[in-house]
Amino acid sequence: MNFVIISHVVHKLSAGKISAYEPYVREMNLWLKYVDKVTIVAPVIDEATNAIEIPYQHKSITLNKISQIQFTSIKHIFKSLFRLPILFIQIFKTCKTADHIHLRCPGNIGLLGCLVQVLFPKKIKTAKYAGNWDPKAKQPLSYKFQKWLLSNTFLSRNMTVLVYGEWEQQTKNIKPFFTASFRDSDKTETYERNYNEQLQFVFVGSLVLGKQPKLAIKIVELLIEKGIDVTFKIFGDGPLKANLQEYINEKQLQNSITLEGNKSINSIKETLKKSHFLILPSKSEGWPKAVAEAMFFGVIPIASKVSCVPNMLDNDNRGILIEPEVESAVLKIIETIHSVDLIEMSKLASKWSQKFTLDYFELEIKNLI
């Protein structure tokens, strides 16, 4: 079987190995256990790999390099429009050789893949929609179009679409799914924290506007001002890093808030085992892995009400749902700290998350191939 992956994820070539963003590759390596040949259609850049990138694991793998496209400026729009016919042909030619077409959505390359797959109604296809599938969510037109096309069982034949969360009035090809990071062997009894001592907060994610790390910092800052003994470790990197560090220095928060940079999953796992709360006030999410990973080890998540997050947190029973505003978020957190059995909330979070292991995930994937 030739398993063709069409993805917008940027890839790198180093020492004969193909590498990309660790959580994505770790998931794809599970899919690749059950196929004979792999062909990846994705953008490639000539840079060294970093701490959060790992190689694919397969004995027969080919990378078909394509150009990146984006529509963030007039210059990029013209370049991308010129590249579109070439990209369409490249994806079409690769799909002709496929036994199974796997799309990674949403994204510009995923959108092209959605259009090309219409021309191959008899081929087996899967699409992983890693964004917010909520039909009521405010999203770019291109995202809405991808959701419509993937849901259309006439245009997207032999297609199974994996989405985060359970939503009403979905077509028969839409399958609620999940993402996993840890195995059954990682399960432990819930680590009971002492919530009367210094509280350890953690943020895990890219330092970009969508994840709102500055809002997370301001929430912790106000908690400190209100007398809550808190430390806050921020894991991740991105374009906002310098601005965040400047804010921390300006507010003299260096003793309480630190930017830890990118760390391996094992390093983050050890931190989670000792942390009390994870905070992720994102504007949009699909299945926020950082939240599920934290819950796995009994860390109580504090997250915004986006996508399937309210379901993950069981509407405040397994975590704290906040509005994306500093004052109201802090009031909700303090109220919860003083009025809720946090040990029980931690146990409920862990019990729920530990159902979604890599072992279970792998079994579900095997049934799709």
Side-chain angles (χ1 to χ4, degrees), residues 195 199 201 228 277 332-340 342:
Y195 294 94
L199 299 176
F201 279 59
I228 307 296
F277 296 94
K332 180 77 174 286
I333 294 167
I334 292 176
E335 178 187 357
T336 303
I337 289 174
H338 292 322
S339 64
V340 172
L342 297 176

Side-chain angles (χ1 to χ4, degrees), residues 131-147:
N132 184 356
W133 191 260
D134 184 353
K136 299 178 182 178
K138 293 182 179 179
Q139 295 178 321
L141 184 61
S142 63
Y143 283 28
K144 291 182 179 180
F145 178 73
Q146 286 174 70
K147 290 163 74 172

Side-chain angles (χ1 to χ4, degrees), residues 271-333:
T271 299
L272 292 177
K273 290 178 180 179
K274 297 176 286 187
S275 299
H276 297 86
F277 296 94
L278 171 126
I279 183 165
L280 190 68
S282 298
K283 291 181 180 179
S284 180
E285 286 287 351
W287 173 283
K289 291 186 73 173
V291 171
E293 288 170 355
M295 293 171 74
F296 194 95
F297 295 104
V299 182
I300 296 173
I302 301 169
S304 45
K305 303 173 186 177
V306 294
S307 186
C308 61
V309 174
N311 178 262
M312 295 174 75
L313 274 57
D314 191 27
N315 295 309
D316 286 322
N317 290 317
R318 294 190 287 255
I320 305 171
L321 291 166
I322 60 170
E323 298 295 335
E325 193 277 322
V326 177
E327 291 282 350
S328 66
V330 169
L331 287 175
K332 180 77 174 286
I333 294 167

Side-chain angles (χ1 to χ4, degrees), residues 6 23 33 43 111 113 123 141 195 226 259 268 272 298 311 369:
I6 300 170
K33 283 185 176 184
L111 174 55
K123 291 184 183 286
L141 184 61
Y195 294 94
K226 290 184 177 294
L259 300 181
I268 291 173
L272 292 177
N311 178 262
I369 296 180

